[in-house]
Short mmCIF file of all heavy atoms in Angstrom, two decimals:
data_model
loop_
_atom_site.label_atom_id
_atom_site.label_comp_id
_atom_site.label_asym_id
_atom_site.label_seq_id
_atom_site.Cartn_x
_atom_site.Cartn_y
_atom_site.Cartn_z
N THR A 214 -18.33 93.81 3.43
CA THR A 214 -19.69 93.50 3.83
C THR A 214 -20.37 92.59 2.83
O THR A 214 -21.49 92.20 3.04
CB THR A 214 -20.51 94.79 3.96
OG1 THR A 214 -20.58 95.44 2.70
CG2 THR A 214 -19.94 95.71 5.01
N SER A 215 -19.69 92.25 1.77
CA SER A 215 -20.27 91.54 0.64
C SER A 215 -21.14 90.36 1.02
O SER A 215 -20.66 89.28 1.34
CB SER A 215 -19.13 91.08 -0.28
OG SER A 215 -19.65 90.45 -1.42
N TYR A 216 -22.42 90.60 1.01
CA TYR A 216 -23.46 89.58 1.20
C TYR A 216 -23.40 88.88 2.55
O TYR A 216 -24.12 87.93 2.79
CB TYR A 216 -23.41 88.57 0.05
CG TYR A 216 -24.75 87.96 -0.29
CD1 TYR A 216 -25.81 88.76 -0.66
CD2 TYR A 216 -24.94 86.60 -0.26
CE1 TYR A 216 -27.03 88.22 -0.98
CE2 TYR A 216 -26.16 86.04 -0.58
CZ TYR A 216 -27.20 86.85 -0.94
OH TYR A 216 -28.42 86.30 -1.25
N ALA A 217 -22.57 89.31 3.47
CA ALA A 217 -22.45 88.64 4.77
C ALA A 217 -23.43 89.17 5.80
O ALA A 217 -23.87 88.42 6.68
CB ALA A 217 -21.03 88.79 5.31
N LEU A 218 -23.77 90.45 5.74
CA LEU A 218 -24.57 91.05 6.81
C LEU A 218 -25.92 90.37 7.02
O LEU A 218 -26.31 90.15 8.16
CB LEU A 218 -24.74 92.55 6.57
CG LEU A 218 -23.43 93.36 6.60
CD1 LEU A 218 -23.74 94.84 6.43
CD2 LEU A 218 -22.64 93.11 7.86
N PRO A 219 -26.66 90.01 5.96
CA PRO A 219 -27.95 89.35 6.20
C PRO A 219 -27.79 88.02 6.94
O PRO A 219 -28.68 87.62 7.69
CB PRO A 219 -28.52 89.14 4.81
CG PRO A 219 -27.84 90.14 3.95
CD PRO A 219 -26.47 90.30 4.54
N TYR A 220 -26.69 87.34 6.74
CA TYR A 220 -26.47 86.04 7.37
C TYR A 220 -25.94 86.17 8.80
O TYR A 220 -26.22 85.32 9.64
CB TYR A 220 -25.53 85.19 6.52
CG TYR A 220 -26.17 84.86 5.20
CD1 TYR A 220 -25.78 85.53 4.06
CD2 TYR A 220 -27.18 83.92 5.12
CE1 TYR A 220 -26.38 85.26 2.84
CE2 TYR A 220 -27.79 83.64 3.91
CZ TYR A 220 -27.39 84.31 2.77
OH TYR A 220 -28.00 84.05 1.58
N LEU A 221 -25.16 87.20 9.05
CA LEU A 221 -24.62 87.41 10.40
C LEU A 221 -25.69 87.92 11.36
O LEU A 221 -25.66 87.61 12.54
CB LEU A 221 -23.48 88.43 10.36
CG LEU A 221 -22.18 87.97 9.73
CD1 LEU A 221 -21.23 89.15 9.60
CD2 LEU A 221 -21.56 86.87 10.56
N GLY A 222 -26.59 88.74 10.86
CA GLY A 222 -27.55 89.42 11.72
C GLY A 222 -26.95 90.73 12.21
O GLY A 222 -25.72 90.86 12.34
N ALA A 223 -27.80 91.69 12.47
CA ALA A 223 -27.35 93.04 12.82
C ALA A 223 -26.51 93.06 14.08
O ALA A 223 -25.46 93.71 14.13
CB ALA A 223 -28.54 93.98 12.95
N GLU A 224 -26.93 92.37 15.12
CA GLU A 224 -26.22 92.43 16.39
C GLU A 224 -24.82 91.84 16.27
O GLU A 224 -23.83 92.43 16.72
CB GLU A 224 -27.01 91.69 17.47
CG GLU A 224 -26.43 91.83 18.85
CD GLU A 224 -27.31 91.19 19.90
OE1 GLU A 224 -28.54 91.22 19.78
OE2 GLU A 224 -26.73 90.65 20.87
N ARG A 225 -24.71 90.70 15.64
CA ARG A 225 -23.40 90.05 15.49
C ARG A 225 -22.47 90.87 14.58
O ARG A 225 -21.30 91.07 14.89
CB ARG A 225 -23.58 88.65 14.94
CG ARG A 225 -22.31 87.86 14.89
CD ARG A 225 -22.59 86.43 14.49
NE ARG A 225 -21.36 85.68 14.39
CZ ARG A 225 -21.24 84.55 13.76
NH1 ARG A 225 -22.29 84.01 13.16
NH2 ARG A 225 -20.09 83.93 13.71
N ALA A 226 -23.01 91.35 13.47
CA ALA A 226 -22.21 92.15 12.53
C ALA A 226 -21.73 93.43 13.18
O ALA A 226 -20.55 93.79 13.08
CB ALA A 226 -23.02 92.45 11.27
N ALA A 227 -22.63 94.14 13.87
CA ALA A 227 -22.24 95.38 14.53
C ALA A 227 -21.18 95.13 15.59
O ALA A 227 -20.23 95.90 15.73
CB ALA A 227 -23.46 96.06 15.14
N GLY A 228 -21.31 94.03 16.33
CA GLY A 228 -20.32 93.69 17.34
C GLY A 228 -18.96 93.42 16.73
O GLY A 228 -17.93 93.87 17.27
N MET A 229 -18.92 92.71 15.62
CA MET A 229 -17.65 92.43 14.94
C MET A 229 -17.00 93.72 14.46
O MET A 229 -15.80 93.91 14.60
CB MET A 229 -17.89 91.49 13.75
CG MET A 229 -18.23 90.08 14.17
SD MET A 229 -18.70 89.04 12.77
CE MET A 229 -17.15 88.89 11.92
N ILE A 230 -17.82 94.62 13.89
CA ILE A 230 -17.29 95.89 13.40
C ILE A 230 -16.76 96.72 14.55
O ILE A 230 -15.68 97.32 14.44
CB ILE A 230 -18.37 96.64 12.59
CG1 ILE A 230 -18.65 95.89 11.29
CG2 ILE A 230 -17.96 98.09 12.33
CD1 ILE A 230 -19.89 96.37 10.55
N ARG A 231 -17.48 96.76 15.65
CA ARG A 231 -17.00 97.54 16.81
C ARG A 231 -15.70 96.96 17.37
O ARG A 231 -14.79 97.71 17.75
CB ARG A 231 -18.08 97.58 17.89
CG ARG A 231 -19.23 98.49 17.53
CD ARG A 231 -20.23 98.62 18.69
NE ARG A 231 -21.36 99.39 18.26
CZ ARG A 231 -22.56 98.88 17.96
NH1 ARG A 231 -22.77 97.58 18.06
NH2 ARG A 231 -23.54 99.66 17.57
N ARG A 232 -15.60 95.64 17.45
CA ARG A 232 -14.39 95.01 18.00
C ARG A 232 -13.16 95.24 17.13
O ARG A 232 -12.06 95.48 17.63
CB ARG A 232 -14.61 93.51 18.18
CG ARG A 232 -15.28 93.13 19.49
CD ARG A 232 -15.25 91.64 19.75
NE ARG A 232 -15.83 90.83 18.69
CZ ARG A 232 -17.13 90.63 18.51
NH1 ARG A 232 -18.01 91.22 19.28
NH2 ARG A 232 -17.56 89.85 17.53
N HIS A 233 -13.35 95.15 15.83
CA HIS A 233 -12.21 95.25 14.92
C HIS A 233 -11.98 96.67 14.42
O HIS A 233 -10.90 96.97 13.91
CB HIS A 233 -12.38 94.31 13.73
CG HIS A 233 -12.36 92.87 14.15
ND1 HIS A 233 -11.21 92.21 14.49
CD2 HIS A 233 -13.37 91.98 14.32
CE1 HIS A 233 -11.50 90.97 14.83
NE2 HIS A 233 -12.81 90.81 14.75
N GLY A 234 -13.00 97.51 14.54
CA GLY A 234 -12.90 98.90 14.11
C GLY A 234 -13.48 99.10 12.72
O GLY A 234 -13.15 98.36 11.79
N PRO A 235 -14.38 100.08 12.58
CA PRO A 235 -15.02 100.32 11.29
C PRO A 235 -14.03 100.74 10.20
O PRO A 235 -14.30 100.59 9.02
CB PRO A 235 -16.04 101.43 11.57
CG PRO A 235 -15.56 102.07 12.83
CD PRO A 235 -14.84 101.01 13.61
N GLU A 236 -12.84 101.21 10.60
CA GLU A 236 -11.84 101.62 9.61
C GLU A 236 -11.25 100.41 8.87
O GLU A 236 -10.54 100.57 7.88
CB GLU A 236 -10.72 102.42 10.28
CG GLU A 236 -9.81 101.64 11.20
CD GLU A 236 -10.37 101.37 12.60
OE1 GLU A 236 -11.49 101.82 12.92
OE2 GLU A 236 -9.67 100.70 13.37
N LYS A 237 -11.58 99.20 9.31
CA LYS A 237 -11.08 97.99 8.67
C LYS A 237 -12.15 97.27 7.85
O LYS A 237 -11.94 96.14 7.41
CB LYS A 237 -10.55 97.03 9.73
CG LYS A 237 -9.35 97.58 10.47
CD LYS A 237 -8.86 96.60 11.50
CE LYS A 237 -7.67 97.20 12.23
NZ LYS A 237 -7.25 96.33 13.34
N VAL A 238 -13.30 97.91 7.64
CA VAL A 238 -14.42 97.28 6.95
C VAL A 238 -14.71 98.04 5.65
O VAL A 238 -14.80 99.26 5.66
CB VAL A 238 -15.68 97.26 7.84
CG1 VAL A 238 -16.86 96.61 7.13
CG2 VAL A 238 -15.39 96.55 9.16
N LEU A 239 -14.86 97.29 4.57
CA LEU A 239 -15.19 97.88 3.27
C LEU A 239 -16.56 97.42 2.82
O LEU A 239 -16.91 96.24 2.97
CB LEU A 239 -14.18 97.46 2.21
CG LEU A 239 -12.76 97.97 2.37
CD1 LEU A 239 -11.87 97.35 1.30
CD2 LEU A 239 -12.72 99.48 2.27
N PHE A 240 -17.31 98.32 2.24
CA PHE A 240 -18.60 97.99 1.65
C PHE A 240 -18.38 97.20 0.36
O PHE A 240 -17.49 97.51 -0.43
CB PHE A 240 -19.38 99.27 1.33
CG PHE A 240 -20.67 99.02 0.61
CD1 PHE A 240 -21.77 98.54 1.30
CD2 PHE A 240 -20.78 99.24 -0.74
CE1 PHE A 240 -22.96 98.30 0.64
CE2 PHE A 240 -21.96 99.01 -1.41
CZ PHE A 240 -23.06 98.54 -0.72
N GLY A 241 -19.19 96.20 0.16
CA GLY A 241 -19.16 95.44 -1.08
C GLY A 241 -20.47 94.69 -1.25
O GLY A 241 -21.21 94.49 -0.29
N THR A 242 -20.75 94.28 -2.46
CA THR A 242 -21.96 93.50 -2.72
C THR A 242 -21.61 92.28 -3.56
O THR A 242 -20.53 92.20 -4.14
CB THR A 242 -23.03 94.31 -3.48
OG1 THR A 242 -22.51 94.65 -4.76
CG2 THR A 242 -23.44 95.55 -2.74
N ASP A 243 -22.52 91.35 -3.60
CA ASP A 243 -22.39 90.17 -4.44
C ASP A 243 -23.39 90.26 -5.59
O ASP A 243 -24.21 89.38 -5.79
CB ASP A 243 -22.65 88.90 -3.64
CG ASP A 243 -21.41 88.35 -2.99
OD1 ASP A 243 -20.31 88.82 -3.33
OD2 ASP A 243 -21.52 87.45 -2.16
N VAL A 244 -23.33 91.34 -6.33
CA VAL A 244 -24.22 91.51 -7.47
C VAL A 244 -23.93 90.38 -8.44
O VAL A 244 -22.76 90.07 -8.69
CB VAL A 244 -23.98 92.90 -8.11
CG1 VAL A 244 -24.72 93.05 -9.42
CG2 VAL A 244 -24.41 94.00 -7.15
N PRO A 245 -24.88 89.69 -8.99
CA PRO A 245 -26.30 90.02 -9.05
C PRO A 245 -27.16 89.39 -7.97
O PRO A 245 -28.38 89.50 -8.01
CB PRO A 245 -26.69 89.48 -10.42
CG PRO A 245 -25.88 88.24 -10.55
CD PRO A 245 -24.55 88.58 -9.88
N TRP A 246 -26.59 88.70 -6.99
CA TRP A 246 -27.40 88.03 -5.98
C TRP A 246 -28.01 89.00 -4.99
O TRP A 246 -29.05 88.74 -4.43
CB TRP A 246 -26.58 86.97 -5.26
CG TRP A 246 -26.17 85.90 -6.20
CD1 TRP A 246 -26.92 84.84 -6.61
CD2 TRP A 246 -24.93 85.80 -6.89
NE1 TRP A 246 -26.22 84.09 -7.51
CE2 TRP A 246 -24.98 84.65 -7.71
CE3 TRP A 246 -23.77 86.56 -6.90
CZ2 TRP A 246 -23.94 84.26 -8.52
CZ3 TRP A 246 -22.73 86.17 -7.71
CH2 TRP A 246 -22.82 85.03 -8.50
N ALA A 247 -27.37 90.09 -4.74
CA ALA A 247 -27.92 91.14 -3.89
C ALA A 247 -27.45 92.48 -4.45
O ALA A 247 -26.30 92.62 -4.85
CB ALA A 247 -27.43 90.98 -2.45
N GLY A 248 -28.35 93.43 -4.49
CA GLY A 248 -28.04 94.73 -5.06
C GLY A 248 -27.36 95.67 -4.07
O GLY A 248 -27.33 95.42 -2.87
N GLN A 249 -26.82 96.75 -4.60
CA GLN A 249 -26.15 97.74 -3.76
C GLN A 249 -27.10 98.37 -2.77
O GLN A 249 -26.72 98.62 -1.63
CB GLN A 249 -25.50 98.80 -4.63
CG GLN A 249 -24.31 98.28 -5.39
CD GLN A 249 -23.67 99.35 -6.25
OE1 GLN A 249 -24.18 100.45 -6.40
NE2 GLN A 249 -22.53 99.03 -6.82
N ALA A 250 -28.32 98.64 -3.19
CA ALA A 250 -29.29 99.26 -2.28
C ALA A 250 -29.53 98.37 -1.07
O ALA A 250 -29.65 98.85 0.06
CB ALA A 250 -30.60 99.56 -3.00
N ASP A 251 -29.59 97.06 -1.28
CA ASP A 251 -29.77 96.13 -0.17
C ASP A 251 -28.57 96.19 0.77
O ASP A 251 -28.73 96.19 2.00
CB ASP A 251 -29.93 94.69 -0.67
CG ASP A 251 -31.18 94.48 -1.50
OD1 ASP A 251 -32.18 95.19 -1.26
OD2 ASP A 251 -31.15 93.61 -2.39
N GLY A 252 -27.38 96.23 0.22
CA GLY A 252 -26.17 96.28 1.03
C GLY A 252 -26.07 97.56 1.84
O GLY A 252 -25.69 97.53 3.02
N VAL A 253 -26.42 98.69 1.23
CA VAL A 253 -26.41 99.97 1.95
C VAL A 253 -27.44 99.92 3.07
O VAL A 253 -27.15 100.33 4.21
CB VAL A 253 -26.67 101.15 0.99
CG1 VAL A 253 -26.91 102.44 1.75
CG2 VAL A 253 -25.52 101.30 0.00
N ARG A 254 -28.62 99.40 2.78
CA ARG A 254 -29.67 99.29 3.81
C ARG A 254 -29.18 98.43 4.97
O ARG A 254 -29.39 98.77 6.13
CB ARG A 254 -30.92 98.66 3.20
CG ARG A 254 -32.09 98.55 4.19
CD ARG A 254 -33.13 97.52 3.79
NE ARG A 254 -32.51 96.19 3.81
CZ ARG A 254 -32.58 95.32 2.82
NH1 ARG A 254 -33.24 95.59 1.72
NH2 ARG A 254 -31.99 94.14 2.92
N ASP A 255 -28.49 97.34 4.66
CA ASP A 255 -28.00 96.45 5.72
C ASP A 255 -26.97 97.16 6.60
O ASP A 255 -27.01 97.03 7.83
CB ASP A 255 -27.38 95.19 5.12
CG ASP A 255 -28.40 94.28 4.46
OD1 ASP A 255 -29.62 94.41 4.77
OD2 ASP A 255 -27.99 93.44 3.64
N VAL A 256 -26.05 97.91 6.00
CA VAL A 256 -25.06 98.66 6.79
C VAL A 256 -25.77 99.69 7.66
O VAL A 256 -25.48 99.81 8.85
CB VAL A 256 -24.01 99.34 5.89
CG1 VAL A 256 -23.13 100.30 6.69
CG2 VAL A 256 -23.15 98.29 5.19
N LYS A 257 -26.72 100.41 7.11
CA LYS A 257 -27.42 101.46 7.86
C LYS A 257 -28.30 100.90 8.97
O LYS A 257 -28.62 101.59 9.91
CB LYS A 257 -28.22 102.34 6.91
CG LYS A 257 -27.31 103.19 6.04
CD LYS A 257 -28.10 104.15 5.18
CE LYS A 257 -27.11 105.01 4.44
NZ LYS A 257 -27.36 106.41 4.60
N SER A 258 -28.68 99.62 8.86
CA SER A 258 -29.53 99.02 9.88
C SER A 258 -28.74 98.56 11.11
O SER A 258 -29.34 98.12 12.09
CB SER A 258 -30.27 97.81 9.29
OG SER A 258 -29.40 96.70 9.15
N LEU A 259 -27.42 98.69 11.09
CA LEU A 259 -26.60 98.18 12.19
C LEU A 259 -26.57 99.11 13.40
O LEU A 259 -26.10 98.72 14.46
CB LEU A 259 -25.16 97.95 11.70
CG LEU A 259 -24.99 96.91 10.60
CD1 LEU A 259 -23.54 96.83 10.17
CD2 LEU A 259 -25.51 95.56 11.04
N GLY A 260 -27.02 100.34 13.24
CA GLY A 260 -27.03 101.26 14.36
C GLY A 260 -25.66 101.80 14.73
O GLY A 260 -25.41 102.16 15.87
N LEU A 261 -24.77 101.83 13.74
CA LEU A 261 -23.42 102.36 13.97
C LEU A 261 -23.45 103.89 13.93
O LEU A 261 -24.35 104.48 13.33
CB LEU A 261 -22.48 101.85 12.88
CG LEU A 261 -22.30 100.34 12.78
CD1 LEU A 261 -21.52 99.99 11.53
CD2 LEU A 261 -21.62 99.80 14.01
N PRO A 262 -22.47 104.53 14.53
CA PRO A 262 -22.39 105.99 14.42
C PRO A 262 -22.26 106.41 12.95
O PRO A 262 -21.74 105.66 12.12
CB PRO A 262 -21.12 106.34 15.19
CG PRO A 262 -20.84 105.17 16.07
CD PRO A 262 -21.40 103.97 15.36
N ALA A 263 -22.69 107.62 12.64
CA ALA A 263 -22.66 108.13 11.27
C ALA A 263 -21.25 108.08 10.69
O ALA A 263 -21.07 107.77 9.51
CB ALA A 263 -23.21 109.55 11.21
N GLU A 264 -20.24 108.37 11.51
CA GLU A 264 -18.85 108.35 11.02
C GLU A 264 -18.44 106.94 10.59
O GLU A 264 -17.72 106.76 9.61
CB GLU A 264 -17.88 108.85 12.10
CG GLU A 264 -18.14 110.26 12.58
CD GLU A 264 -19.25 110.32 13.64
OE1 GLU A 264 -19.47 109.34 14.38
OE2 GLU A 264 -19.91 111.36 13.70
N ALA A 265 -18.88 105.94 11.33
CA ALA A 265 -18.56 104.55 10.98
C ALA A 265 -19.26 104.15 9.70
O ALA A 265 -18.66 103.51 8.82
CB ALA A 265 -18.96 103.61 12.12
N GLU A 266 -20.53 104.53 9.56
CA GLU A 266 -21.27 104.24 8.31
C GLU A 266 -20.56 104.87 7.12
O GLU A 266 -20.39 104.23 6.09
CB GLU A 266 -22.69 104.78 8.39
CG GLU A 266 -23.63 103.93 9.16
CD GLU A 266 -25.06 104.48 9.11
OE1 GLU A 266 -25.35 105.43 8.33
OE2 GLU A 266 -25.89 103.95 9.86
N GLU A 267 -20.17 106.13 7.25
CA GLU A 267 -19.50 106.84 6.15
C GLU A 267 -18.20 106.15 5.78
O GLU A 267 -17.88 105.99 4.60
CB GLU A 267 -19.22 108.28 6.55
CG GLU A 267 -19.03 109.28 5.43
CD GLU A 267 -17.94 108.97 4.41
OE1 GLU A 267 -16.75 108.97 4.73
OE2 GLU A 267 -18.29 108.74 3.26
N ALA A 268 -17.45 105.73 6.78
CA ALA A 268 -16.19 105.05 6.52
C ALA A 268 -16.43 103.74 5.77
O ALA A 268 -15.78 103.47 4.75
CB ALA A 268 -15.46 104.77 7.84
N ILE A 269 -17.38 102.95 6.23
CA ILE A 269 -17.67 101.66 5.61
C ILE A 269 -18.22 101.82 4.21
O ILE A 269 -17.84 101.09 3.29
CB ILE A 269 -18.64 100.85 6.49
CG1 ILE A 269 -17.94 100.46 7.80
CG2 ILE A 269 -19.16 99.62 5.76
CD1 ILE A 269 -18.88 99.92 8.86
N LEU A 270 -19.10 102.79 4.02
CA LEU A 270 -19.78 102.96 2.73
C LEU A 270 -18.96 103.70 1.68
O LEU A 270 -19.44 103.90 0.58
CB LEU A 270 -21.13 103.66 2.93
CG LEU A 270 -22.16 102.84 3.70
CD1 LEU A 270 -23.41 103.67 3.98
CD2 LEU A 270 -22.52 101.56 2.95
N GLY A 271 -17.74 104.07 1.99
CA GLY A 271 -16.93 104.71 0.95
C GLY A 271 -15.66 105.36 1.44
O GLY A 271 -14.67 105.41 0.73
N GLY A 272 -15.66 105.87 2.66
CA GLY A 272 -14.49 106.55 3.18
C GLY A 272 -13.26 105.66 3.25
O GLY A 272 -12.16 106.09 2.91
N ASN A 273 -13.44 104.44 3.70
CA ASN A 273 -12.29 103.52 3.80
C ASN A 273 -11.72 103.20 2.42
O ASN A 273 -10.50 103.16 2.25
CB ASN A 273 -12.69 102.23 4.52
CG ASN A 273 -13.01 102.47 5.97
OD1 ASN A 273 -12.54 103.42 6.57
ND2 ASN A 273 -13.81 101.60 6.55
N ALA A 274 -12.58 102.97 1.45
CA ALA A 274 -12.10 102.68 0.09
C ALA A 274 -11.35 103.87 -0.48
O ALA A 274 -10.27 103.71 -1.07
CB ALA A 274 -13.28 102.30 -0.81
N ARG A 275 -11.89 105.09 -0.28
CA ARG A 275 -11.20 106.28 -0.76
C ARG A 275 -9.82 106.41 -0.12
O ARG A 275 -8.83 106.71 -0.79
CB ARG A 275 -12.04 107.53 -0.50
CG ARG A 275 -13.22 107.66 -1.45
CD ARG A 275 -13.91 109.02 -1.33
NE ARG A 275 -14.49 109.25 -0.02
CZ ARG A 275 -15.69 108.82 0.36
NH1 ARG A 275 -16.45 108.12 -0.49
NH2 ARG A 275 -16.15 109.08 1.56
N ARG A 276 -9.76 106.16 1.18
CA ARG A 276 -8.49 106.25 1.91
C ARG A 276 -7.50 105.22 1.37
O ARG A 276 -6.34 105.53 1.10
CB ARG A 276 -8.73 106.05 3.40
CG ARG A 276 -7.47 106.06 4.24
CD ARG A 276 -7.77 105.93 5.74
NE ARG A 276 -8.72 104.88 6.07
CZ ARG A 276 -8.42 103.58 6.22
NH1 ARG A 276 -7.19 103.17 6.04
NH2 ARG A 276 -9.35 102.72 6.56
N LEU A 277 -7.92 103.98 1.22
CA LEU A 277 -7.03 102.92 0.74
C LEU A 277 -6.54 103.16 -0.69
O LEU A 277 -5.42 102.82 -1.03
CB LEU A 277 -7.74 101.57 0.80
CG LEU A 277 -7.91 100.98 2.19
CD1 LEU A 277 -8.84 99.78 2.14
CD2 LEU A 277 -6.57 100.61 2.78
N LEU A 278 -7.40 103.76 -1.51
CA LEU A 278 -7.04 104.01 -2.90
C LEU A 278 -6.38 105.36 -3.12
O LEU A 278 -5.98 105.70 -4.23
CB LEU A 278 -8.29 103.90 -3.78
CG LEU A 278 -8.95 102.51 -3.82
CD1 LEU A 278 -10.29 102.58 -4.53
CD2 LEU A 278 -8.02 101.50 -4.46
N GLY A 279 -6.27 106.14 -2.04
CA GLY A 279 -5.64 107.44 -2.15
C GLY A 279 -6.45 108.44 -2.94
O GLY A 279 -5.89 109.31 -3.62
N LEU A 280 -7.76 108.35 -2.86
CA LEU A 280 -8.64 109.26 -3.61
C LEU A 280 -9.11 110.42 -2.76
O LEU A 280 -9.29 110.36 -1.62
CB LEU A 280 -9.87 108.50 -4.12
CG LEU A 280 -9.57 107.33 -5.04
CD1 LEU A 280 -10.85 106.60 -5.40
CD2 LEU A 280 -8.87 107.80 -6.28
#
């Protein structure tokens, strides 16, 4: 998600995530240009199910890293 969501817009970003599956999306930021709080807010503004938000905001990274 690194700094892309504000440029894509909520509708386009949510559509891309739904088409490809939230299990393939990782949360990231482009600090110092945008902070983590902004990135989390952007993900939460997409109107995705809670399970998809959890996966994007950390679940997918934990799964990939075996944590």
Side-chain angles (χ1 to χ4, degrees):
T214 62
S215 183
Y216 211 57
L218 297 183
Y220 295 103
L221 289 172
E224 187 175 325
R225 186 173 178 198
M229 289 173 69
I230 291 168
R231 287 186 185 104
R232 275 191 304 280
H233 295 284
E236 70 280 359
K237 295 180 181 174
V238 180
L239 294 174
F240 175 76
T242 64
D243 271 349
V244 172
W246 296 278
Q249 290 180 352
D251 296 330
V253 170
R254 182 200 65 230
D255 292 340
V256 171
K257 290 185 176 233
S258 75
L259 298 177
L261 299 171
E264 300 82 28
E266 281 184 9
E267 202 304 293
I269 292 168
L270 293 174
N273 292 336
R275 285 189 297 276
R276 177 177 47 82
L277 286 170
L278 297 171
L280 301 176

